[in-house]
Amino acid sequence: MTTDPIGTLITHIRNAQNAGHITTSCPHSQLREQVLNVLRDEGFIDSYEVYDSGRNKKQLKIGLKYERAGLPVIKNIARISRPGKRMYVPTDEIPRSHSGYGVVILSTSQGIMSDHQARKRGIGGEVLCSVF
């Protein structure tokens, strides 16, 4: 059991991109799957799928996205709110990542969503991570 599932997901993605892998996998959770859904919708990853690893446990297979020059699309991915220090923000204080070119992922009362969607709906929440 991990105490920080989002931190584990971010580390898997960062390490796989540094090694130049096309795909990576990590243990499944609903929270991780929802974060991956936002990353896919925002164009930072190619795809993801849930599969059974054979020991009655689910895994997430993440297809990483690269530019034509071979550089990863995700330049920087960082955990903001962590188990030891949670960061909650109201709507008018949602941070912008790289002047709006990046994405901040939030956990709100209406689910996991990007900062753009949260501002549009007028809700705040816990700032999970920042992606650029």
Side-chain angles (χ1 to χ4, degrees), residues 54-88:
R55 296 180 305 255
N56 208 10
K57 294 192 177 198
K58 292 181 182 177
Q59 292 277 96
L60 288 164
K61 183 177 180 181
I62 306 161
L64 303 174
K65 200 171 188 179
Y66 292 90
E67 296 172 355
R68 289 185 184 212
L71 298 171
V73 171
I74 298 175
K75 307 287 186 249
N76 184 12
I77 184 166
R79 181 80 157 113
I80 296 178
S81 181
R82 48 192 177 87
K85 185 179 179 183
R86 301 287 185 190
M87 183 177 163
Y88 297 95

Short mmCIF file of all heavy atoms in Angstrom, two decimals, residues 54-88:
data_model
loop_
_atom_site.label_atom_id
_atom_site.label_comp_id
_atom_site.label_asym_id
_atom_site.label_seq_id
_atom_site.Cartn_x
_atom_site.Cartn_y
_atom_site.Cartn_z
N GLY A 54 -2.95 -10.53 -13.46
CA GLY A 54 -2.92 -11.97 -13.29
C GLY A 54 -2.97 -12.41 -11.84
O GLY A 54 -3.24 -13.56 -11.54
N ARG A 55 -2.67 -11.54 -10.93
CA ARG A 55 -2.72 -11.89 -9.51
C ARG A 55 -3.95 -11.26 -8.86
O ARG A 55 -3.92 -10.88 -7.69
CB ARG A 55 -1.45 -11.42 -8.80
CG ARG A 55 -0.21 -12.12 -9.29
CD ARG A 55 0.99 -11.60 -8.54
NE ARG A 55 1.09 -10.15 -8.66
CZ ARG A 55 1.96 -9.52 -9.44
NH1 ARG A 55 2.81 -10.19 -10.16
NH2 ARG A 55 1.98 -8.20 -9.47
N ASN A 56 -5.01 -11.12 -9.63
CA ASN A 56 -6.25 -10.52 -9.19
C ASN A 56 -6.05 -9.05 -8.80
O ASN A 56 -6.73 -8.53 -7.94
CB ASN A 56 -6.85 -11.31 -8.03
CG ASN A 56 -8.35 -11.18 -7.98
OD1 ASN A 56 -8.97 -10.67 -8.91
ND2 ASN A 56 -8.95 -11.64 -6.90
N LYS A 57 -5.07 -8.42 -9.44
CA LYS A 57 -4.81 -7.00 -9.21
C LYS A 57 -4.81 -6.29 -10.56
O LYS A 57 -4.31 -6.81 -11.54
CB LYS A 57 -3.46 -6.79 -8.53
CG LYS A 57 -3.43 -7.34 -7.13
CD LYS A 57 -2.21 -6.87 -6.41
CE LYS A 57 -2.27 -7.38 -4.99
NZ LYS A 57 -1.39 -6.68 -4.11
N LYS A 58 -5.35 -5.09 -10.56
CA LYS A 58 -5.39 -4.31 -11.79
C LYS A 58 -4.15 -3.43 -11.89
O LYS A 58 -3.59 -2.99 -10.88
CB LYS A 58 -6.63 -3.42 -11.81
CG LYS A 58 -7.93 -4.17 -11.94
CD LYS A 58 -9.08 -3.20 -11.98
CE LYS A 58 -10.40 -3.91 -12.05
NZ LYS A 58 -11.52 -2.96 -12.02
N GLN A 59 -3.74 -3.17 -13.12
CA GLN A 59 -2.61 -2.30 -13.42
C GLN A 59 -3.07 -1.26 -14.45
O GLN A 59 -4.01 -1.48 -15.20
CB GLN A 59 -1.45 -3.09 -14.01
CG GLN A 59 -0.78 -4.04 -13.05
CD GLN A 59 0.24 -3.34 -12.18
OE1 GLN A 59 -0.07 -2.95 -11.07
NE2 GLN A 59 1.42 -3.16 -12.70
N LEU A 60 -2.38 -0.16 -14.49
CA LEU A 60 -2.61 0.86 -15.50
C LEU A 60 -1.42 0.87 -16.45
O LEU A 60 -0.28 0.98 -16.01
CB LEU A 60 -2.73 2.24 -14.86
CG LEU A 60 -4.00 2.51 -14.06
CD1 LEU A 60 -3.82 3.73 -13.18
CD2 LEU A 60 -5.16 2.72 -15.00
N LYS A 61 -1.68 0.73 -17.74
CA LYS A 61 -0.64 0.82 -18.75
C LYS A 61 -0.77 2.20 -19.39
O LYS A 61 -1.81 2.52 -19.97
CB LYS A 61 -0.78 -0.27 -19.80
CG LYS A 61 0.31 -0.27 -20.83
CD LYS A 61 0.16 -1.42 -21.80
CE LYS A 61 1.26 -1.41 -22.82
NZ LYS A 61 1.10 -2.52 -23.77
N ILE A 62 0.28 3.00 -19.29
CA ILE A 62 0.24 4.38 -19.72
C ILE A 62 1.10 4.54 -20.97
O ILE A 62 2.28 4.19 -20.97
CB ILE A 62 0.78 5.32 -18.62
CG1 ILE A 62 0.02 5.08 -17.31
CG2 ILE A 62 0.69 6.77 -19.04
CD1 ILE A 62 0.74 5.58 -16.10
N GLY A 63 0.50 5.04 -22.05
CA GLY A 63 1.23 5.32 -23.28
C GLY A 63 1.74 6.75 -23.24
O GLY A 63 0.96 7.70 -23.24
N LEU A 64 3.05 6.92 -23.20
CA LEU A 64 3.65 8.24 -23.10
C LEU A 64 3.74 8.90 -24.47
O LEU A 64 3.81 8.22 -25.49
CB LEU A 64 5.05 8.13 -22.48
CG LEU A 64 5.06 7.48 -21.10
CD1 LEU A 64 6.49 7.28 -20.64
CD2 LEU A 64 4.28 8.30 -20.10
N LYS A 65 3.73 10.20 -24.48
CA LYS A 65 3.71 10.96 -25.73
C LYS A 65 5.03 11.72 -25.89
O LYS A 65 5.51 12.32 -24.94
CB LYS A 65 2.54 11.95 -25.67
CG LYS A 65 2.06 12.46 -26.97
CD LYS A 65 0.77 13.24 -26.74
CE LYS A 65 0.14 13.63 -28.03
NZ LYS A 65 -1.10 14.37 -27.83
N TYR A 66 5.57 11.67 -27.11
CA TYR A 66 6.83 12.34 -27.41
C TYR A 66 6.66 13.24 -28.62
O TYR A 66 5.82 12.98 -29.49
CB TYR A 66 7.94 11.32 -27.69
CG TYR A 66 8.34 10.53 -26.47
CD1 TYR A 66 7.70 9.34 -26.14
CD2 TYR A 66 9.35 10.98 -25.64
CE1 TYR A 66 8.06 8.63 -25.01
CE2 TYR A 66 9.73 10.27 -24.51
CZ TYR A 66 9.07 9.10 -24.21
OH TYR A 66 9.43 8.40 -23.08
N GLU A 67 7.47 14.29 -28.70
CA GLU A 67 7.47 15.17 -29.86
C GLU A 67 8.27 14.51 -30.97
O GLU A 67 8.90 13.49 -30.78
CB GLU A 67 8.12 16.52 -29.47
CG GLU A 67 7.35 17.27 -28.42
CD GLU A 67 8.09 18.50 -27.92
OE1 GLU A 67 9.25 18.72 -28.33
OE2 GLU A 67 7.49 19.23 -27.12
N ARG A 68 8.27 15.12 -32.15
CA ARG A 68 9.00 14.54 -33.29
C ARG A 68 10.50 14.45 -33.04
O ARG A 68 11.15 13.56 -33.52
CB ARG A 68 8.75 15.37 -34.55
CG ARG A 68 7.36 15.21 -35.05
CD ARG A 68 7.17 15.93 -36.35
NE ARG A 68 5.77 15.82 -36.72
CZ ARG A 68 5.35 15.76 -37.95
NH1 ARG A 68 6.21 15.83 -38.94
NH2 ARG A 68 4.08 15.65 -38.21
N ALA A 69 11.05 15.36 -32.27
CA ALA A 69 12.48 15.35 -31.97
C ALA A 69 12.85 14.32 -30.91
O ALA A 69 14.01 14.17 -30.57
CB ALA A 69 12.93 16.74 -31.52
N GLY A 70 11.86 13.60 -30.41
CA GLY A 70 12.12 12.58 -29.40
C GLY A 70 12.05 13.09 -27.97
O GLY A 70 12.28 12.33 -27.03
N LEU A 71 11.72 14.37 -27.80
CA LEU A 71 11.60 14.92 -26.45
C LEU A 71 10.20 14.63 -25.90
O LEU A 71 9.22 14.68 -26.64
CB LEU A 71 11.83 16.44 -26.48
CG LEU A 71 13.21 16.89 -26.95
CD1 LEU A 71 13.23 18.39 -27.13
CD2 LEU A 71 14.27 16.44 -25.96
N PRO A 72 10.09 14.35 -24.60
CA PRO A 72 8.76 14.09 -24.03
C PRO A 72 7.88 15.33 -24.04
O PRO A 72 8.37 16.46 -23.91
CB PRO A 72 9.07 13.63 -22.60
CG PRO A 72 10.47 13.99 -22.33
CD PRO A 72 11.15 14.20 -23.63
N VAL A 73 6.59 15.12 -24.22
CA VAL A 73 5.63 16.23 -24.20
C VAL A 73 5.57 16.84 -22.81
O VAL A 73 5.49 18.05 -22.66
CB VAL A 73 4.23 15.74 -24.65
CG1 VAL A 73 3.18 16.80 -24.43
CG2 VAL A 73 4.27 15.34 -26.12
N ILE A 74 5.66 16.01 -21.78
CA ILE A 74 5.66 16.50 -20.40
C ILE A 74 7.06 16.97 -20.07
O ILE A 74 7.99 16.17 -19.93
CB ILE A 74 5.20 15.42 -19.41
CG1 ILE A 74 3.76 15.00 -19.70
CG2 ILE A 74 5.32 15.93 -17.97
CD1 ILE A 74 3.27 13.85 -18.84
N LYS A 75 7.22 18.28 -19.95
CA LYS A 75 8.53 18.85 -19.60
C LYS A 75 8.76 18.80 -18.10
O LYS A 75 9.87 18.58 -17.63
CB LYS A 75 8.62 20.31 -20.06
CG LYS A 75 8.30 20.53 -21.51
CD LYS A 75 9.40 20.02 -22.41
CE LYS A 75 9.12 20.39 -23.84
NZ LYS A 75 8.81 19.30 -24.69
N ASN A 76 7.71 19.06 -17.34
CA ASN A 76 7.81 19.10 -15.89
C ASN A 76 6.49 18.63 -15.30
O ASN A 76 5.43 19.09 -15.70
CB ASN A 76 8.12 20.53 -15.44
CG ASN A 76 8.35 20.63 -13.95
OD1 ASN A 76 8.49 19.62 -13.27
ND2 ASN A 76 8.39 21.84 -13.46
N ILE A 77 6.56 17.71 -14.36
CA ILE A 77 5.37 17.26 -13.63
C ILE A 77 5.75 17.23 -12.16
O ILE A 77 6.77 16.65 -11.80
CB ILE A 77 4.86 15.90 -14.16
CG1 ILE A 77 3.58 15.49 -13.46
CG2 ILE A 77 5.91 14.83 -14.08
CD1 ILE A 77 2.84 14.34 -14.12
N ALA A 78 4.97 17.92 -11.34
CA ALA A 78 5.33 18.05 -9.94
C ALA A 78 4.11 17.89 -9.04
O ALA A 78 3.02 18.37 -9.37
CB ALA A 78 5.97 19.40 -9.69
N ARG A 79 4.30 17.22 -7.93
CA ARG A 79 3.27 17.06 -6.92
C ARG A 79 3.21 18.34 -6.11
O ARG A 79 4.24 18.84 -5.66
CB ARG A 79 3.64 15.87 -6.02
CG ARG A 79 2.64 15.57 -4.94
CD ARG A 79 1.48 14.78 -5.50
NE ARG A 79 0.79 14.04 -4.47
CZ ARG A 79 -0.44 14.30 -4.08
NH1 ARG A 79 -1.11 15.28 -4.64
NH2 ARG A 79 -1.01 13.58 -3.17
N ILE A 80 2.02 18.89 -5.90
CA ILE A 80 1.90 20.13 -5.13
C ILE A 80 1.36 19.82 -3.73
O ILE A 80 2.02 20.04 -2.74
CB ILE A 80 1.03 21.16 -5.86
CG1 ILE A 80 1.72 21.55 -7.17
CG2 ILE A 80 0.78 22.38 -4.99
CD1 ILE A 80 0.97 22.51 -8.02
N SER A 81 0.14 19.31 -3.67
CA SER A 81 -0.43 18.93 -2.39
C SER A 81 0.04 17.52 -2.08
O SER A 81 -0.01 16.64 -2.93
CB SER A 81 -1.96 18.97 -2.47
OG SER A 81 -2.53 18.63 -1.24
N ARG A 82 0.55 17.32 -0.89
CA ARG A 82 1.06 16.00 -0.53
C ARG A 82 0.46 15.57 0.79
O ARG A 82 -0.15 16.39 1.49
CB ARG A 82 2.58 16.01 -0.50
CG ARG A 82 3.19 17.15 0.24
CD ARG A 82 4.68 17.28 -0.02
NE ARG A 82 5.21 18.44 0.66
CZ ARG A 82 5.63 18.46 1.91
NH1 ARG A 82 5.62 17.35 2.62
NH2 ARG A 82 6.07 19.57 2.45
N PRO A 83 0.62 14.31 1.19
CA PRO A 83 -0.01 13.85 2.43
C PRO A 83 0.38 14.65 3.67
O PRO A 83 -0.44 14.85 4.56
CB PRO A 83 0.45 12.40 2.55
CG PRO A 83 0.72 11.98 1.16
CD PRO A 83 1.23 13.20 0.46
N GLY A 84 1.61 15.14 3.74
CA GLY A 84 2.05 15.90 4.90
C GLY A 84 1.64 17.36 4.88
O GLY A 84 1.65 18.04 5.90
N LYS A 85 1.28 17.86 3.71
CA LYS A 85 0.91 19.27 3.58
C LYS A 85 -0.10 19.43 2.45
O LYS A 85 0.26 19.58 1.29
CB LYS A 85 2.15 20.13 3.30
CG LYS A 85 1.86 21.61 3.29
CD LYS A 85 3.12 22.40 3.03
CE LYS A 85 2.80 23.88 3.00
NZ LYS A 85 3.97 24.67 2.68
N ARG A 86 -1.36 19.40 2.79
CA ARG A 86 -2.42 19.55 1.80
C ARG A 86 -2.57 21.01 1.42
O ARG A 86 -2.38 21.90 2.25
CB ARG A 86 -3.75 19.03 2.36
CG ARG A 86 -3.74 17.58 2.77
CD ARG A 86 -3.72 16.70 1.58
NE ARG A 86 -3.84 15.30 1.99
CZ ARG A 86 -3.66 14.29 1.20
NH1 ARG A 86 -3.38 14.50 -0.07
NH2 ARG A 86 -3.76 13.06 1.62
N MET A 87 -2.92 21.24 0.16
CA MET A 87 -3.10 22.61 -0.33
C MET A 87 -4.48 22.73 -0.96
O MET A 87 -4.74 22.15 -2.02
CB MET A 87 -2.02 22.97 -1.34
CG MET A 87 -2.10 24.39 -1.82
SD MET A 87 -0.75 24.72 -2.94
CE MET A 87 -1.35 26.19 -3.71
N TYR A 88 -5.36 23.47 -0.30
CA TYR A 88 -6.70 23.71 -0.80
C TYR A 88 -6.82 25.17 -1.22
O TYR A 88 -6.28 26.06 -0.57
CB TYR A 88 -7.74 23.42 0.30
CG TYR A 88 -7.74 21.97 0.73
CD1 TYR A 88 -7.00 21.57 1.85
CD2 TYR A 88 -8.45 21.01 0.02
CE1 TYR A 88 -6.99 20.25 2.25
CE2 TYR A 88 -8.44 19.68 0.43
CZ TYR A 88 -7.71 19.31 1.54
OH TYR A 88 -7.68 17.99 1.93
#
